[in-house]
Amino acid sequence: MGPGPPAAGAGAPPRPLSLAARLSYAVGHFLNDLCASMWFTYLLLYLHSVRAYSSRGAGVLLLLGQVADGLCTPLVGYEADRAAGRCARCGPRKTWHLVGTTCVLLSFPFIFSPCLGCGATTPEWAALLYYGPFIVIFQFGWAATQIAHLSLIPELVTNDHEKVELTALRYAFTVVANITVYGAAWLLLHLQASPRTGSIQDVTDQLGVQDVPVFRNLSLLVVGIGAVFSLLFHLGTRERCQQLAEEPDEHSPLLAPTTARPLLLWKHWLRQPAFYQVGLLYMSTRLIVNLSQTYIAMYLTYSLNLPKKFIATIPLVMYLSGFFSSFLMNPVNKWIGRNMTYFAGLLVILAFAAWVALADGLGVMVYAAAVMLGIGCATILVTSLAMTADLIGPHTHSGAFVYGAMSFSDKVANGLAVMVIQSLHPCSSELCCRACVGFYHWVMVAVTGGVGVAATLSLCSLLIWPIRLRSCNSGAQP
């Protein structure tokens, strides 16, 4: 594996990463991606339709997880940056990755398993309280793994197109993770239904308490596969030891060498307009991707009234289309640039929202709509991550803080949005009444089209004021 960016004054450029090094890095987020796929796609469906908890109670648990993730993310980013100058055996960022992976492996299966010690008479609040600690531990581990993994990108590569390639490869494995989850879900649902015949088959065609073993087995399968890929990441990825410049004190020289680059600390980022521009764009992107993933299963189940196997097949089609489109990101970025690539993805998502809003029923065309949503989400997610890496540039010593701050806004915004949507659910006394058919229809339009308009406005700000860092001390350009 080639070294990271050279220090100020170094002459030789870093060598490009080998294919094996790129692949070993790309699989380092595979466990997180597997768990995130289940979390966003199936948590509300599992709690509301399988465990029969109220829509508001399910929303509270998802909000708890998002807030815990949002709070942990910048703290982990700050600590990872502070440790970046210490030469640990496996590197500070890989150490945080290992800690996070362990927390995820130990907590995630409990979230999709029945409450231990709970019975038919157990009040809902007690069951929700049981899941709370597991969700907090899982989200802390998820945040630690995500920030450690993302902050390695600007350390491993410095060329803009290499960043896009590494980000696209990382997203390609994200898509593979989602395909794995949805393929396994379809297989488990198929195996559950295969021995059934006649009227019993019809009864079990909708989600219910009989599907608890499906989600439990799926969560165990997820952590088992994810653990193997996390091991491959730690064996194949080498983090270079970076020596950081210390903050000035009374023993520091009054005049710094003219060749040295000013050290951009976390507090300096808060005074950079580009930090907020990219942060708003990244938050809008994550709202589109995560909320559409969260409510697509509800939309298919209640608005389109499709059998439960479609909660696996339609997301599978979405992520297959995203997988193939991710390989076009690097040449498309070279051809038309970051901003226009992002805009092209937004156009596809807005077209999907318009189609859903105007069509009474999609029928077999639901597969075409899924392809559109998958391509659009893949395009804007890969491009927004590449823009964040552009923002960080050579300032890798504080890169984890930047990713942490971006993720903080993303996680809290997602949690609040889900809580608002769940609070507006029109059916208070049953899982789904007649009103919820139209409710989830317009939720899908809002989380794609409505948030897509906000993302367009954020993109316009970058077209008018391109990404550029201001000087953090007079007379120096960062």
Side-chain angles (χ1 to χ4, degrees):
M1 176 178 299
R15 292 174 297 174
L17 292 178
S18 66
L19 178 59
R22 294 198 299 269
L23 289 175
S24 67
Y25 168 81
V27 302
H29 206 252
F30 201 70
L31 172 63
N32 263 22
D33 292 329
L34 290 169
C35 294
S37 179
M38 276 199 72
W39 172 268
F40 284 111
T41 307
Y42 294 137
L43 182 69
L44 290 182
L45 199 68
Y46 172 76
L47 295 174
H48 187 53
S49 301
V50 179
R51 301 300 299 160
Y53 296 139
S54 66
S55 60
R56 184 165 298 183
V60 165
L61 284 183
L62 194 143
L63 175 62
L64 172 65
Q66 294 304 103
V67 171
D69 190 359
L71 292 175
C72 292
T73 296
L75 296 177
V76 170
Y78 174 75
E79 289 297 327
D81 282 336
R82 196 172 67 160
R86 305 170 192 167
C87 294
R89 180 177 178 83
C90 64
R93 306 201 192 283
K94 286 182 64 180
T95 300
W96 274 105
H97 187 283
L98 182 61
V99 171
T101 298
T102 303
C103 291
V104 170
L105 292 175
L106 295 178
S107 60
F108 188 73
F110 289 95
I111 299 174
F112 285 91
S113 298
C115 170
L116 297 177
C118 297
T121 59
T122 303
E124 180 177 307
W125 66 265
L128 298 180
L129 195 63
Y130 165 86
Y131 287 109
F134 295 112
I135 288 176
V136 171
I137 295 172
F138 161 66
Q139 291 292 358
F140 165 77
W142 201 97
T145 305
Q146 180 200 36
I147 295 307
H149 195 254
L150 278 175
S151 59
L152 279 170
I153 293 179
E155 291 223 13
L156 297 177
V157 293
T158 56
N159 180 274
D160 287 346
H161 297 305
E162 286 181 338
K163 290 177 184 177
V164 174
E165 183 182 11
L166 205 59
T167 305
L169 195 58
R170 179 182 185 272
Y171 183 76
F173 277 97
T174 299
V175 175
V176 172
N178 282 274
I179 291 171
T180 302
V181 170
Y182 300 135
W186 176 85
L187 182 62
L188 290 172
L189 289 170
H190 179 74
L191 292 176
Q192 179 203 41
S194 58
R196 304 178 185 272
T197 55
S199 60
I200 299 180
Q201 172 81 24
D202 298 329
V203 172
T204 59
D205 205 30
Q206 299 300 320
L207 288 169
V209 69
Q210 74 277 355
D211 297 302
V212 168
V214 171
F215 289 93
R216 181 197 61 217
N217 295 338
L218 184 59
S219 66
L220 293 173
L221 189 62
V222 158
V223 296
I225 296 174
V228 173
F229 281 91
S230 295
L231 178 62
L232 293 176
F233 163 77
H234 280 276
L235 292 176
T237 303
R238 295 178 58 192
E239 178 183 355
R240 71 183 179 92
C241 181
Q242 180 186 40
Q243 298 297 333
L244 293 181
E246 297 180 355
E247 293 191 51
D249 56 21
E250 66 271 19
H251 301 295
S252 302
L254 293 177
L255 296 177
T258 56
T259 57
R261 181 182 298 275
L263 189 65
L264 204 63
L265 304 175
W266 69 269
K267 56 188 176 184
H268 296 140
W269 285 109
L270 300 179
R271 299 198 292 265
Q272 298 290 341
F275 175 77
Y276 299 99
Q277 288 177 274
V278 177
L280 186 59
L281 185 75
Y282 181 79
M283 182 184 71
S284 302
T285 301
R286 280 295 185 179
L287 280 172
I288 294 172
V289 174
N290 292 344
L291 291 180
S292 62
Q293 187 177 3
T294 299
Y295 285 100
I296 187 67
M298 297 290 198
Y299 173 67
L300 296 170
T301 302
Y302 296 122
S303 294
L304 299 183
N305 197 30
L306 296 174
K308 62 185 179 183
K309 67 178 182 179
F310 280 88
I311 67 172
T313 55
I314 295 301
L316 184 62
V317 170
M318 286 173 51
Y319 282 93
L320 279 173
S321 60
F323 175 76
F324 291 117
S325 65
S326 66
F327 292 105
L328 300 175
M329 292 301 105
N330 196 32
V332 170
N333 268 268
K334 289 181 179 179
W335 181 37
I336 62 177
R338 297 263 202 276
N339 294 336
M340 294 310 298
T341 302
Y342 189 93
F343 183 65
L346 271 182
L347 286 180
V348 177
I349 290 174
L350 292 173
F352 166 84
W355 191 0
V356 171
L358 297 176
D360 293 331
L362 293 177
V364 72
M365 295 305 292
V366 69
Y367 290 101
V371 169
M372 291 177 62
L373 186 58
I375 292 175
C377 287
T379 302
I380 63 173
L381 184 57
V382 168
T383 309
S384 66
L385 286 171
M387 288 178 175
T388 307
D390 290 342
L391 174 69
I392 295 171
H395 305 286
T396 59
H397 45 266
S398 54
F401 171 78
V402 175
Y403 283 116
M406 301 288 177
S407 293
F408 171 78
S409 61
D410 139 45
K411 300 303 188 305
V412 174
N414 272 282
L416 291 175
V418 168
M419 193 64 225
V420 169
I421 293 172
Q422 293 299 106
S423 299
L424 295 175
H425 194 278
C427 311
S428 57
S429 59
E430 51 185 311
L431 291 180
C432 185
C433 59
R434 188 177 184 87
C436 83
V437 175
F439 175 74
Y440 288 118
H441 172 90
W442 290 110
V443 165
M444 281 301 298
V445 174
V447 301
T448 52
V451 184
V453 172
T456 304
L457 296 177
S458 302
L459 181 63
C460 288
S461 76
L462 289 175
L463 293 173
I464 300 172
W465 301 286
I467 298 174
R468 180 179 178 273
L469 298 184
R470 294 181 176 179
S471 176
C472 59
N473 42 353
S474 60
Q477 180 69 29

